[in-house]
Amino acid sequence: MSERNTVPCKKLMEYNFYARKLMEYNFYARKLMAYNFMHGKLAVNRSRNFQMLKRKVLQYREVQAMKDFYVQRKMHWGEAAVGWNRPTESYFRQPLDHFNRQNNATYNQRYWVNEEHWKHPQGPVFLYIGGESSLSEFSVRAGEHVELAQSHGALLVALEHRYYGNSINKDGLTNEGIRFLSSQQALADLASFHRFISEKYSLTRNNTWICFGGSYPGSLSAWFRLKFPHLVFAAVASSAPVRAELDFVGYNKVVAESLSDPVVGGSPKCLDAVAESFRTVDQMLQAGNISQLEKDFCSCEALQGIEDYTEFVGNLADIFMGTVQYNGEISSRNIGSICETMTNASLGSSYRRLVTINQEYLQSMAQPCVQNSYQKTLEELRNTSLSLVGVGERQWIFQTCTEFGYYQTCEGGSCPFSRLLTLRSQLDLCLQLFGILAEHVQEAVLFTNEYYGADRPKASRVLFVNGDIDPWHALSVLHNQSHSELAIYINGTAHCANMGSSKPLDPPALKQAKEEIAHYIGEWLKAAKKQHLED
C-alpha cells in the first residue's frame, strides 16, 4: 500500500487485524466440524468486491444448511446422527465433448446422492443442478427441494457443473482446455447422468424426475426440461436469467428501483444520495483528484490510469449491487442498513457517506484496503491453476464471453453509479483473457437466445420463480406463458430466496410462494402417476 494511504486507513487496518483472526478461528472451527461430522466442503462482475461478497454468501449458505440439518433433526450442534446414512460423494466418467465421438477425452464429474427420504422403488427423483461454483453434500441435505423430497419420498441427487469445483481436468483452465465449457455440454452431462443414475438404482419410467436450480442453474433446469422432455417430467427454475443479453442495463435499473423501495428499507432519498455520491467521484476523477480518492477509499495501491479508475468505481458499485442481489442473506448486509448510512446527514455530504459505506464493507470482509489494480485482476484471472472450492471466476467469465454476455453497465440514465462502467470496458476482458473479439461475443449471445428461446422458451411443466428485488429477474420469465409454463413473482425478495429451507420468520409473500411451488410439485407428480397408469 502506498505511504500516503497508510495513515488514513490505520484504524481500519487495526480493526481488521482482529477481525481476520476471528474469521480464521471461525473458518477452521466450521471446517473441523464439517470434516468430523459431515465431510462437507465449505465453499469458500469482474470487480473484486462483488466476488468477495459472493464467496461470503456461499460460505453463509453452507453454515446455514448445516444448522438447518441439526434443527430439523432436533439435535445438538456437532451431535452424531443416529440411524442416518450420510449422503455419498462419488464421481463418474463423462465425455469431455459429447458432440464429437471421435474425441475420446473424458473427465470425472462429482455428484451426491441422498437416499434418506426415498420411497423405494417407485419414489420420484429430485435433481439439484450445480452451477458456477463448487457443490457440497449440502446440495442434497438442506433447502426447499429437500423439504419437498421429504414430503414426496424422493431420491435426491445433485450434479456438480463441469469445470467447477472438483469436476475438472488438470488442464481445464487453459485456453485450450476450457473450450469444452458450455451450457450445451452441461445439459448433455445431465442427460448422461440421468442414464447413469437410472442404471445404478434400477430406475424405470415410473420414477418421475423433477429438476431444480437457481440463477444460472435455474436456466439449466428450464433448458433441461426444454431440450430433454423425455428425461425430466418438470422443472423449477429459480431466479433464472434465460434471456442472454450483451449489455445488461436492466440489472442496475432494478438495483436503483430496489434502493428506492420502502418495502425493503430503501427510499428515493437513499437512491438520490447514492447517485450524487458517484457523481462526485466521477467529477474528482475527471479533475485529477486521484490521491484524495485513494486516501478516502483505502486503495491498496496508487490508481494508474483509466483501467484502474474503472476497477475502482466498479468495486464501489459492487457494494450496492451485491447488497441488493443478496439482500438479507447476511444479517449485516441489506438494503435497509446501507440506506440508513447513505441518508444519515450527520455523516456529512453524500460523498462522505459513501466513504463510510466503503469502510463498513472493508470491516465486514476483514480487508485492510481495496485492490483496484486492473493488471493484478488480469493476472489472477489468467491463472490456470485449479481452485476446487468456491466460485469459478475465470470459468464464468469465459461463459459470459462465449454464451451469455450479462455485462452490467452504467451508461443509461437510470443507473446511479459511475459512467465509467461501460460495455467496452467489460468486453475488453474477453479479448485480454481468451482472445475473443467483441463482435464474436455479440454473435454468441444471439445464438444462445436462438438456441433456447430466450424468455419465450415454449417449454411445458416449467415453473419460473423470481423476486422483484433480484436484478436478475429482468432476464427471466415473469408471467405465465401457458397453462404449464408458469411464473411466480415474489414481492420483496432477492436472488433465489425461495430455495432455502423454510424459516419461521420468512415474509408472508415468500411463504405463499413456497406453498404454490409445493402445490405444483404435487400436481406434477399426480399427473406423472396418471400418465404412467395410462401407458
Side-chain angles (χ1 to χ4, degrees):
M1 183 159 56
S2 62
E3 182 64 28
R4 62 178 172 274
N5 292 337
T6 302
V7 175
C9 297
K10 185 176 180 181
K11 289 186 178 180
L12 183 61
M13 292 176 68
E14 289 173 352
Y15 169 90
N16 280 306
F17 172 80
Y18 296 104
R20 285 197 305 274
K21 292 298 181 184
L22 181 60
M23 286 182 71
E24 287 169 7
Y25 171 82
N26 289 335
F27 173 77
Y28 288 111
R30 292 196 302 265
K31 193 169 184 179
L32 180 61
M33 277 188 262
Y35 178 80
N36 286 338
F37 303 119
M38 273 80 69
H39 289 194
K41 289 179 172 62
L42 292 176
V44 186
N45 227 334
R46 179 186 101 185
S47 297
R48 189 176 307 268
N49 276 350
F50 197 97
Q51 295 301 335
M52 283 197 300
L53 179 57
K54 187 170 184 178
R55 284 193 290 268
K56 188 165 186 176
V57 167
L58 288 174
Q59 288 178 352
Y60 175 81
R61 287 175 180 172
E62 294 278 317
V63 173
Q64 190 59 49
M66 191 187 300
K67 290 179 179 178
D68 292 342
F69 170 79
Y70 286 105
V71 169
Q72 290 167 3
R73 287 162 179 76
K74 298 179 181 179
M75 295 161 51
H76 296 295
W77 185 260
E79 179 183 344
V82 178
W84 175 75
N85 294 322
R86 189 171 61 243
T88 55
E89 173 188 331
S90 304
Y91 294 81
F92 79 113
R93 194 171 296 278
Q94 283 272 29
L96 191 61
D97 184 359
H98 288 278
F99 308 114
N100 179 9
R101 291 301 173 177
Q102 293 181 323
N103 183 346
N104 296 321
T106 62
Y107 78 100
N108 291 321
Q109 189 164 25
R110 183 164 59 167
Y111 69 95
W112 282 264
V113 177
N114 184 356
E115 301 180 52
E116 180 183 11
H117 312 296
W118 189 28
K119 292 180 181 177
H120 186 274
Q122 294 190 338
V125 181
F126 288 180
L127 167 63
Y128 183 89
I129 300 173
E132 70 276 24
S133 62
S134 62
L135 280 189
S136 78
E137 67 180 73
F138 294 109
S139 58
V140 293
R141 281 181 46 179
E144 178 185 42
H145 61 296
V146 176
E147 293 175 348
L148 291 167
Q150 292 172 339
S151 300
H152 297 288
L155 175 67
L156 284 159
V157 296
L159 185 66
E160 189 171 68
H161 197 294
R162 61 166 50 209
Y163 283 81
Y164 294 94
N166 280 23
S167 300
I168 185 171
N169 288 336
K170 289 183 179 179
D171 65 345
L173 294 186
T174 65
N175 281 9
E176 174 68 17
I178 204 171
R179 60 197 175 100
F180 298 109
L181 170 58
S182 72
S183 61
Q184 292 97 325
Q185 296 281 4
L187 292 177
D189 284 341
L190 289 169
S192 178
F193 181 63
H194 181 284
R195 183 178 68 250
F196 172 79
I197 289 294
S198 296
E199 292 174 354
K200 183 178 177 67
Y201 290 91
S202 301
L203 304 180
T204 68
R205 293 180 68 253
N206 291 327
N207 299 103
T208 303
W209 285 65
I210 297 178
C211 56
F212 299 79
S215 196
Y216 166 52
S219 297
L220 291 175
S221 183
W223 295 336
F224 191 40
R225 168 62 190 162
L226 175 70
K227 297 297 185 180
F228 295 90
H230 57 293
L231 299 182
V232 61
F233 191 78
V236 179
S238 301
S239 299
V242 289
R243 175 163 55 89
E245 189 161 282
L246 184 69
D247 189 357
F248 187 12
V249 295
Y251 186 98
N252 282 321
K253 181 180 179 181
V254 177
V255 170
E257 291 170 351
S258 300
L259 289 171
S260 63
D261 187 351
V263 172
V264 289
S267 66
K269 185 178 178 181
C270 174
L271 177 60
D272 290 344
V274 172
E276 183 181 53
S277 68
F278 275 90
R279 283 196 297 270
T280 302
V281 168
D282 277 355
Q283 291 165 4
M284 292 176 69
L285 286 169
Q286 292 168 4
N289 295 336
I290 310 304
S291 60
Q292 187 64 49
L293 290 168
E294 293 167 358
K295 173 184 174 183
D296 289 343
F297 293 98
C298 297
S299 184
C300 294
E301 295 178 341
L303 303 178
Q304 304 286 348
I306 188 64
E307 291 175 335
D308 284 4
Y309 301 166
T310 302
E311 195 84 5
F312 164 68
V313 295
N315 276 319
L316 284 179
D318 278 353
I319 300 173
F320 297 89
M321 293 158 67
T323 297
V324 170
Q325 178 166 321
Y326 298 112
N327 183 51
E329 282 218 49
I330 302 174
S331 58
S332 61
R333 189 134 303 279
N334 56 66
I335 295 170
S337 64
I338 214 169
C339 280
E340 183 178 353
T341 299
M342 287 304 299
T343 56
N344 186 350
S346 68
L347 296 174
S349 66
S350 62
Y351 173 84
R352 297 313 309 176
R353 299 171 209 168
L354 182 61
V355 170
T356 300
I357 288 285
N358 183 67
Q359 290 174 341
E360 291 173 348
Y361 182 83
L362 287 174
Q363 290 174 5
S364 69
M365 296 295 164
Q367 296 295 314
C369 57
V370 185
Q371 178 56 257
N372 294 311
S373 169
Y374 177 73
Q375 287 304 316
K376 286 194 174 181
T377 295
L378 278 182
E379 289 173 16
E380 291 177 4
L381 292 174
R382 283 172 175 156
N383 184 359
T384 59
S385 60
L386 300 184
S387 175
L388 303 181
V389 296
V391 182
E393 294 167 18
R394 177 174 168 85
Q395 299 98 301
W396 182 240
I397 289 175
F398 177 79
Q399 288 196 262
T400 66
C401 295
T402 57
E403 296 189 83
F404 305 124
Y406 293 155
Y407 302 119
Q408 298 141 29
T409 60
C410 200
E411 297 175 89
S414 62
C415 180
F417 308 123
S418 171
R419 293 303 181 263
L420 290 178
L421 301 176
T422 64
L423 179 61
R424 179 178 177 180
S425 68
Q426 302 202 49
L427 287 172
D428 281 348
L429 208 57
C430 296
L431 182 62
Q432 294 279 353
L433 295 178
F434 306 111
I436 300 174
L437 298 173
E439 54 264 35
H440 294 163
V441 181
Q442 174 67 72
E443 291 168 2
V445 168
L446 293 174
F447 173 78
T448 296
N449 286 331
E450 287 292 322
Y451 188 77
Y452 294 121
D455 50 2
R456 296 287 190 275
K458 303 299 181 185
S460 63
R461 289 193 293 271
V462 177
L463 179 60
F464 292 93
V465 185
N466 287 279
D468 69 339
I469 299 303
D470 178 20
W472 291 99
H473 82 247
L475 300 181
S476 192
V477 177
L478 306 181
H479 306 284
N480 292 351
Q481 301 298 300
S482 69
H483 70 280
S484 65
E485 194 175 24
L486 306 165
I488 295 176
Y489 195 48
I490 314 172
N491 185 40
T493 62
H495 199 58
C496 299
N498 64 288
M499 296 188 72
S501 299
S502 298
K503 303 287 191 303
L505 296 180
D506 284 343
L510 180 56
K511 289 181 178 179
Q512 180 180 345
K514 284 176 170 280
E515 290 172 1
E516 290 183 56
I517 294 167
H519 168 75
Y520 286 120
I521 295 291
E523 291 299 304
W524 287 336
L525 291 174
K526 289 178 185 177
K529 186 174 182 179
K530 181 180 178 182
Q531 191 176 103
H532 294 153
L533 290 173
E534 291 174 351
D535 292 345

